[in-house]
Amino acid sequence: MTFSRKSRSNLFYICLSLCSTGVVSQGFQLEPLNSTVLQGSDVQFNATVQGKWDFMTWHVGDLLVLSVLSSSTSNITSSSQQYSASFCSSDTSCVRFTIHNVTRSQSGSVMCSVLGSFGSKTAQLYVQESGKVSIMEGNMTVVQDQLVKFQCVASAWFPIPTIGWTQNGEAVNNSLYNTTSTADGDSFNSTSVLNFQAVRNTIVECWATVPALTNPQTSSVFLVVDPKPTDWTVLIAVVVSIGGVALLVLLILGIIFCYKRRKEKQPNYQDEMSRRVRTQSEIGGINAAEQTEGQVNAGYVPEGQTNVAPSEHSDSGFCQANGSGVVEMPDIVKSNPVRNGDRSADNTVDEAGFKKHRHVTIV
């Protein structure tokens, strides 16, 4: 009976499992025990055996994929070109097992077993998938202070990706955006929505990542912010308000100025009383002068006297002598007395400066 290569590998595995039952492993290490890689990359595990060994097998999941004889590297048997092994150095104490172009179906356990008293060890393999990320809106031009909205879509990721935003290279607070995820077969799609107020020109970037990614996947757009147009209504209102305030201030200043001028022209109480006293004194002096400097009635002749110079004038300007038929008419010239050369025989002038006209009346 002949056995195929795959049958011989399975037989070796069975023998190894039977031989290692009940034996405590010694001097055998498997690294790393946990490995997270992206789909399509290569992943490696190292098995280090301290001591002499003869036969080693590698299982991915439930499948025996590779066997190694310690005698020579030519005695490495693989079930597929996707799996390979090699000695880490010139000696045979370390074996490097490689899975090429790993797929998500290979996620799970990776077991290495060494024939003899070494036993077996198991590591865990996690295969993740990096999808695409893009900002749907593209470049935008908006007016200053306008509320803008950007939507970032990450599709075909496994597991659910972590999504974030940056503006001009600075991280955006997670309170400004929200992210939702949905399953799509054996992968996930995520959508993140960012809202903010446009202030200046901004480079907006969305990024998505999973633990296996060294650098996140990114998508960026450019936001152009135009100056806000002038609101003439507001400008007119501001100008009118300022003009009204200015007019009010000028009116108040004018009222204050007029009030001060008026108050300066109005005398105080003491000045008014002094002025009134001076006025009354002047009026009193004028009255006294008029009483003393009145006209003298030169035609007045006291009773019983005939040729006495008159001392007062009557209201009519004539003087009448009692007990005689002589009527005297005074010439009321006070400031210009008759000069000596103008006197006549018929008209005589007394010392007081009055002309005496004599008329005879027969009754």
Side-chain angles (χ1 to χ4, degrees):
M1 180 180 295
T2 60
F3 295 94
S4 65
R5 179 177 295 179
K6 185 175 181 181
S7 299
R8 290 198 299 270
S9 299
N10 290 335
L11 182 61
F12 284 138
Y13 171 69
I14 294 171
C15 294
L16 180 63
S17 300
L18 292 174
C19 293
S20 60
T21 303
V23 179
V24 179
S25 61
Q26 301 176 9
F28 172 37
Q29 293 181 351
L30 179 63
E31 296 176 335
L33 294 177
N34 294 284
S35 181
T36 302
V37 294
L38 286 175
Q39 179 172 271
S41 61
D42 295 345
V43 58
Q44 294 180 341
F45 295 91
N46 293 332
T48 303
V49 182
Q50 295 180 355
K52 184 176 176 58
W53 62 278
D54 295 324
F55 189 72
M56 179 186 293
T57 60
W58 291 87
H59 288 75
V60 176
D62 296 331
L63 297 177
L64 174 62
V65 296
L66 189 141
S67 61
V68 182
L69 290 175
S70 64
S71 58
S72 172
T73 56
S74 61
N75 293 326
I76 296 176
T77 304
S78 175
S79 63
S80 170
Q81 293 183 352
Q82 190 179 14
Y83 306 102
S84 65
S86 63
F87 292 115
C88 301
S89 58
S90 58
D91 60 13
T92 60
S93 62
C94 174
V95 176
R96 181 177 292 115
F97 172 66
T98 304
I99 303 175
H100 303 280
N101 194 20
V102 66
T103 63
R104 285 177 53 196
S105 62
Q106 294 169 325
S107 295
S109 62
V110 176
M111 185 177 68
C112 176
S113 300
V114 180
L115 184 63
S117 62
F118 298 100
S120 62
K121 288 185 179 295
T122 302
Q124 293 296 321
L125 173 62
Y126 302 95
V127 180
Q128 299 180 349
E129 186 174 358
S130 172
K132 297 180 180 180
V133 59
S134 62
I135 297 176
M136 305 303 295
E137 288 75 13
N139 296 330
M140 293 178 61
T141 300
V142 297
V143 178
Q144 190 175 17
D145 294 334
Q146 179 180 337
L147 185 65
V148 294
K149 174 183 176 181
F150 288 99
Q151 181 175 277
C152 178
V153 176
S155 56
W157 288 75
F158 182 87
I160 297 174
T162 300
I163 297 180
W165 295 84
T166 63
Q167 293 181 3
N168 293 329
E170 297 183 0
V172 176
N173 193 311
N174 56 13
S175 63
L176 298 178
Y177 61 89
N178 57 71
T179 304
T180 57
S181 300
T182 58
D184 183 14
D186 59 351
S187 61
F188 294 92
N189 297 330
S190 298
T191 301
S192 182
V193 179
L194 171 66
N195 295 281
F196 65 95
Q197 195 171 21
V199 177
R200 62 184 183 277
N201 294 343
T202 306
I203 298 175
V204 180
E205 183 179 77
C206 173
W207 55 266
T209 188
V210 288
L213 268 178
T214 304
N215 298 311
Q217 298 275 10
T218 62
S219 175
S220 60
V221 295
F222 193 71
L223 175 65
V224 178
V225 180
D226 291 336
K228 193 173 183 180
T230 304
D231 190 345
W232 292 107
T233 303
V234 175
L235 181 61
I236 292 173
V238 171
V239 171
V240 171
S241 300
I242 295 175
V245 172
L247 289 176
L248 181 60
V249 171
L250 290 175
L251 180 60
I252 294 174
L253 292 176
I255 293 173
I256 294 173
F257 178 75
C258 294
Y259 175 76
K260 288 185 176 180
R261 289 291 300 273
R262 185 178 178 184
K263 194 165 184 180
E264 288 175 357
K265 290 182 179 181
Q266 291 180 352
N268 55 30
Y269 178 76
Q270 294 180 353
D271 294 341
E272 181 67 18
M273 293 303 296
S274 299
R275 187 184 64 81
R276 291 185 179 182
V277 169
R278 287 197 302 270
T279 303
Q280 293 294 333
S281 300
E282 292 174 358
I283 294 173
I286 293 171
N287 291 335
E290 288 179 352
Q291 290 177 2
T292 57
E293 295 179 2
Q295 295 178 348
V296 178
N297 188 356
Y300 173 73
V301 179
E303 186 177 356
Q305 296 182 4
T306 58
N307 295 324
V308 180
S311 61
E312 292 184 0
H313 296 267
S314 65
D315 293 337
S316 61
F318 294 94
C319 293
Q320 186 175 2
N322 293 330
S324 68
V326 181
V327 177
E328 296 180 355
M329 178 181 295
D331 185 5
I332 309 175
V333 180
K334 186 176 180 182
S335 60
N336 295 320
V338 180
R339 291 190 285 273
N340 294 331
D342 293 335
R343 294 183 181 177
S344 65
D346 295 333
N347 297 323
T348 59
V349 180
D350 61 3
E351 294 178 356
F354 294 95
K355 279 184 182 179
K356 295 183 180 180
H357 302 275
R358 298 184 183 274
H359 299 276
V360 177
T361 301
I362 301 172
V363 182

